[in-house]
Amino acid sequence: MCGIVGFAGTREAAPVLIDGLRRLEYRGYDSAGVAVSDGAAINVAKVKGYVKNLSDMTHDGADIRGRIGVGHTRWATHGAPNDVNAHPHMSSDGRFAVVHNGIIENYALLRQELTKNGYTFASDTDTEVVAHLLEMYYDGDARRAVMKAASRLEGSYSLGVICADGRLFAVREQSPLILGLGVGENYFASDVAALVPHTKNVIYLDDGEFAELTPDAITVYDVRGRAVEKPVSKVAWDVEAAEKGGYEHFMLKEIMEQPACFKATVEPRIKDGRIEFENFDLTDEELHDINRIIITACGSAGYAGQVGRYVIEELCRVPVSVELASELRYRNPIIDRHTLLVVISQSGETADTIAALRECKARGARVLAIVNVVGSTIAKLADHVIYTWAGPEIAVATTKGYTTQAAVLDMLAIWLADRLGLMEKERYDALVEALHAMPGQIQRAIDLNRGIHRLAKKLCKYNDIYFIGRNLDYAVCMEGALKLKEISYIFAEAYAAGELKHGTIALVEQGSLVVTLACYEPLFDKTMSNIEEVKARGAEVLAVALEGNRKILSKADDVIFVPRTDPLFNPIAQIVPLQLFAYYVAKERGCDIDKPKNLAKSVTVE
Ligand code: AGP
C-alpha cells in the first residue's frame, strides 16, 4: 500500500530517494518523506500530500544532506494523512528513523508496553512502535537492535531503517521488498520501478530476511542473523517501461500498450501451433484428478476470473466458481486435493489474495497463479505460475493487467480442453489462429474508437450509470463499471441484464445512463428487449456491439463498435473502449486519473 525506498552511496541521498518515491507514488500518495544520515545525525523532511510537495519543500532534496537514507510514500492505514503521521518516524533519542509498508498487527500492545517504559509517541501510526523498539534494544549494535525489534512484530511489514551513524537496513515480512545492486551504491525499494533507473541487478528478499546495505555491499541475513547467499536476478524491462513516454497519464499509455502486451503474453506460449506453458504442466493422472476449479482474486483480477469462468466451463465442462479472496479466506471453504485453485493478481502482493491462497493450499488445493510481477509473494507461494507479460503497470486502474490475465485464462481453457480430449483439432487450430489475431483486433478496438472522447464529453454528466449484459457480456460489465467508478467517482454498477427486472429497474428513470453490452450474439435479442425496457423508463442507452451490427443503431442512443473476434475472446476487445470511455469521462470531470482518491495500486494490507 505504501512505497519505501533506501539508498547507500557516495552522492547525496535525498534526490535519489525522492526520484524513487515519484516512481512508487502509485502505491500511495497521502504523504511523503525522507530521512538521511550524514554520519552523525539524521535529517528528516516529510509532508502531507504528493511527492511533489516534498520535492518543492526540499528543493528536490537539495536541502537535506546525507549519503544514506530512506524514503516513504504513504497510503494511510493507522492515523490520518497529515504531516505528523507521515513517515519516516524517529526514535525519541534521534538515533533511528523508520519507514514502513504494511500493518503491525500487535502495535497496540507494543505501544502500551513502550509507554509504560517511558517512551512517548508523536504520531497515531502503528509504525512508530518500531522506532521506539529500536531505541529500546540498541546496545551499541544497530544490526542486533533491528533483529530484536523485528522479532517483536506481528503482521506484514517491509521496513527501511537508518541509524544516525550511517547504517542502513531493510527488513521483509509478507510485504514486497527488493534490493538493487549498483556500482559504488546500493538501493532497496518496494518495487523494481524505483530501481531500474539505477540497476537491473536485484535480489528478492524472502519473508523473515533482512539486509544491511553499504555503498559497496549488501549482506542478507536470515531471521536468526546468519548471513545467507542470495541469487542475483536480472530485471527484464527497462526504465522507459515505467515512464509515461509522452502520454498525459500512465493509464492512457497502458491502454495503448495492450496489443503489444497481449502479444508478449501469448506468442511465446504458442510453439508450432500448440499452446505450452513454461512453468505449468500436469500429467494425465493429475488432470483427471481435478474435479473443480476455483478462481480467486480481488477487484479487476476477479473480473478477469469471471471471463475465465465462462470460457473454461464452455470449453472444458469442469465446474468453475469465482470467489472473492477477501471472502474465501474466512469462509471455511470446501476444498481438497481435487481442487485446482487459480489465483490471479497483477501485483502478486494483494493481502487478501495471498491469505486465500494460503488457506486453500493448506486444505490440499493445487495452486496455479497468474501473476504479472516476477518474484512476488503469490508467485513464490503457488505450485505453478503463468506470468502475464504486461510489463510494469503504474496507473492505479488496471488495464493491460486485466487483458493479459484474460488472455492467459483463454489459453489455459484451450490447453485444458485439449488435454482433457474435449476439443476437435479444427476448433483448436481455429482458436490458436484467433489468439494470434487478437493483438490486431485490440488495436482495431482502439482505432474504431478514436472519437470516444466526444462521447465521454456528452455523457460525463450522468451520476448513475448501469452496465448490463448477458453471459460473457455480463463479465465485461463488471470490469467496465469498476473502471468508471474508480477513476471518475461516478456511481456505476454492473447487473446481469436478465436480473434487472427483479429489482434494480426500479431505479432506472430519465437521467439514468444504461451501458448495454450486446456482443454475445446467442442472447442478442434478449439483450435488445432489455434495452427496450430501460428506454421505456426514460434511460439513455449507450451500447457496445460488434462491428457490422446494424440492428443496434435503431435501439441505442449511441454505439461503441468493437471488431469481431472469436466469440470467446470478445471480452478483451470490448473492454478496451470501455477503458477509454472511463478515462475520458474522468478527464472531463477533472479527476486525477493516475491517482484516484482513497485508492492505491497494490492492496498489501487487509
Ligand atoms: C483495478 O483497477 C483495481 N485497482 C483493483 O481492483 C485491483 O485489480 C485489485 O486490487 C487486485 O490487485 P492485484 O491484481 O494486484 O492483486
Side-chain angles (χ1 to χ4, degrees):
M1 249 11 206
C2 306
I4 70 171
V5 287
F7 173 79
T10 50
R11 55 180 167 145
E12 288 301 318
V16 181
L17 295 168
I18 291 173
D19 179 62
L21 292 180
R22 261 190 219 110
R23 294 169 192 277
L24 295 186
E25 202 169 14
Y26 68 89
R27 302 178 67 87
Y29 27 85
D30 289 335
S31 63
V34 290
V36 296
S37 162
D38 58 10
I42 293 176
N43 306 307
V44 179
K46 54 184 190 170
V47 64
K48 182 181 170 184
Y50 293 166
V51 175
K52 182 170 184 317
N53 301 0
L54 177 69
S55 148
D56 290 349
M57 187 173 100
T58 60
H59 299 98
D60 244 335
D63 296 353
I64 24 173
R65 315 286 300 194
R67 294 173 178 188
I68 272 179
V70 289
H72 188 268
T73 178
R74 180 169 189 240
W75 187 86
T77 57
H78 296 64
N82 57 30
D83 291 355
V84 176
N85 290 328
H87 299 213
H89 292 283
M90 296 289 296
S91 59
S92 313
D93 61 1
R95 190 185 302 279
F96 293 100
V98 180
V99 291
H100 166 218
N101 173 31
I103 288 187
I104 315 272
E105 283 168 2
N106 60 337
Y107 87 99
L109 281 175
L110 292 170
R111 193 170 168 131
Q112 247 174 31
E113 175 188 326
L114 287 158
T115 308
K116 262 193 212 147
N117 288 336
Y119 292 92
T120 50
F121 283 77
S123 76
D124 303 319
T125 64
D126 52 340
T127 307
E128 197 182 342
V129 296
V130 184
H132 298 307
L133 283 173
L134 287 163
E135 180 179 338
M136 189 166 91
Y137 287 123
Y138 183 70
D139 60 2
D141 180 350
R143 184 161 73 86
R144 203 158 39 229
V146 168
M147 222 171 85
K148 283 190 178 166
S151 73
R152 298 293 313 279
L153 306 178
E154 287 168 20
S156 63
Y157 49 86
S158 51
L159 300 170
V161 176
I162 54 165
C163 188
D165 64 7
R167 294 180 76 179
L168 173 69
F169 299 91
V171 186
R172 178 192 157 124
E173 179 62 41
Q174 294 184 40
S175 185
L177 195 57
I178 303 149
L179 311 174
L181 296 117
V183 179
E185 51 189 46
N186 289 307
Y187 328 80
F188 64 76
S190 302
D191 184 335
V192 287
L195 301 177
V196 283
H198 311 291
T199 181
K200 288 188 173 186
N201 297 323
V202 300
I203 293 173
Y204 294 99
L205 274 188
D206 284 309
D207 287 345
E209 290 179 340
F210 72 103
E212 177 162 8
L213 292 86
T214 67
D216 304 313
I218 294 182
T219 317
V220 179
Y221 300 94
D222 69 10
V223 74
R224 294 167 66 184
R226 294 172 301 203
V228 284
E229 280 296 314
K230 298 286 290 181
V232 176
S233 309
K234 271 247 178 292
V235 178
W237 44 268
D238 49 29
V239 66
E240 289 77 38
E243 290 177 344
K244 281 190 210 157
Y247 286 96
E248 195 178 344
H249 296 97
F250 278 110
M251 184 178 176
L252 188 57
K253 176 188 174 228
E254 289 162 5
I255 291 171
M256 297 305 180
E257 283 175 348
Q258 289 178 107
C261 297
F262 187 97
K263 192 168 179 180
T265 300
V266 168
E267 294 283 339
R269 273 98 184 220
I270 302 178
K271 296 191 183 88
D272 300 325
R274 308 286 307 162
I275 295 172
E276 281 173 33
F277 299 107
E278 58 281 16
N279 293 317
F280 175 59
D281 200 2
L282 297 173
T283 63
D284 286 344
E285 200 187 333
E286 287 167 338
L287 260 175
H288 289 281
D289 212 32
I290 295 169
N291 62 15
R292 66 190 288 222
I293 295 176
I294 295 182
I295 298 177
T296 195
C298 299
S300 292
Y303 296 151
Q306 296 284 359
V307 170
R309 176 171 76 117
Y310 283 101
V311 180
I312 297 170
E313 284 196 339
E314 175 68 28
L315 295 182
C316 309
R317 312 310 301 152
V318 179
V320 182
S321 59
V322 183
E323 310 270 357
L324 297 172
S326 53
E327 287 293 313
L328 184 66
R329 63 181 291 189
Y330 293 122
R331 221 195 51 212
N332 192 11
I334 302 165
I335 280 171
D336 59 21
R337 65 182 183 82
H338 302 291
T339 307
L340 175 66
L341 182 81
V342 179
V343 177
I344 309 174
S345 175
Q346 187 284 128
S347 63
E349 300 293 349
T350 302
D352 283 320
T353 312
I354 293 170
L357 185 165
R358 287 188 201 273
E359 183 62 39
C360 297
K361 200 172 172 179
R363 289 164 191 251
R366 177 186 290 277
V367 181
L368 166 63
I370 298 173
V371 175
N372 193 40
V373 177
V374 175
S376 57
T377 304
I378 291 175
K380 284 183 187 158
L381 289 174
D383 300 309
H384 317 270
V385 186
I386 304 176
Y387 283 109
T388 50
W389 296 119
E393 194 179 58
I394 309 293
V396 168
T398 184
T399 51
K400 60 181 185 170
Y402 169 89
T403 44
T404 51
Q405 286 159 357
V408 168
L409 287 160
D410 286 340
M411 294 182 87
L412 180 67
I414 301 165
W415 178 87
L416 213 53
D418 176 58
R419 288 290 307 275
L420 291 169
L422 294 172
M423 196 176 280
E424 301 286 332
K425 184 176 179 315
E426 255 174 36
R427 176 76 172 127
Y428 184 94
D429 291 346
L431 283 170
V432 168
E433 198 50 48
L435 279 175
H436 278 304
M438 279 308 291
Q441 307 280 40
I442 299 171
Q443 189 57 52
R444 176 134 185 90
I446 294 171
D447 293 340
L448 279 173
N449 292 286
R450 294 274 174 200
I452 204 161
H453 56 278
R454 284 190 287 274
L455 205 53
K457 199 179 177 71
K458 176 182 162 200
L459 299 176
C460 68
K461 60 179 188 246
Y462 282 99
N463 290 318
D464 294 294
I465 303 187
Y466 304 89
F467 282 70
I468 62 167
R470 290 164 180 268
N471 197 281
L472 277 166
D473 287 343
Y474 172 49
V476 183
C477 283
M478 298 180 207
E479 175 61 4
L482 179 63
K483 280 292 85 73
L484 193 63
K485 71 184 131 188
E486 70 181 332
I487 59 167
S488 73
Y489 319 140
I490 294 174
F491 176 87
E493 216 40 269
Y495 297 95
E499 186 64 16
L500 211 57
K501 58 178 140 329
H502 297 288
T504 309
I505 202 163
L507 298 171
V508 175
E509 58 188 6
Q510 199 159 17
S512 309
L513 175 65
V514 179
V515 180
T516 308
L517 275 65
C519 295
Y520 185 71
E521 292 199 312
L523 296 176
F524 179 77
D525 290 340
K526 300 214 179 286
T527 307
M528 288 306 95
S529 306
N530 295 123
I531 291 187
E532 303 279 9
E533 287 159 14
V534 296
K535 282 196 77 80
R537 275 132 190 113
E540 185 163 346
V541 170
L542 166 63
V544 180
L546 295 175
E547 217 181 342
N549 181 334
R550 312 272 329 150
K551 270 196 200 161
I552 195 82
L553 292 170
S554 59
K555 301 274 180 198
D557 298 291
D558 293 287
V559 183
I560 290 172
F561 283 110
V562 295
R564 275 175 192 275
T565 66
D566 184 282
L568 293 176
F569 306 153
N570 271 342
I572 294 173
Q574 269 171 285
I575 195 61
V576 174
L578 292 177
Q579 296 164 344
L580 286 166
F581 181 68
Y583 173 85
Y584 285 110
V585 167
K587 202 169 160 200
E588 283 296 330
R589 291 171 75 113
C591 302
D592 192 341
I593 293 175
D594 283 339
K595 300 189 193 81
K597 69 177 179 198
N598 302 340
L599 297 180
K601 179 73 180 161
S602 105
V603 187
T604 56
V605 293
E606 195 179 351

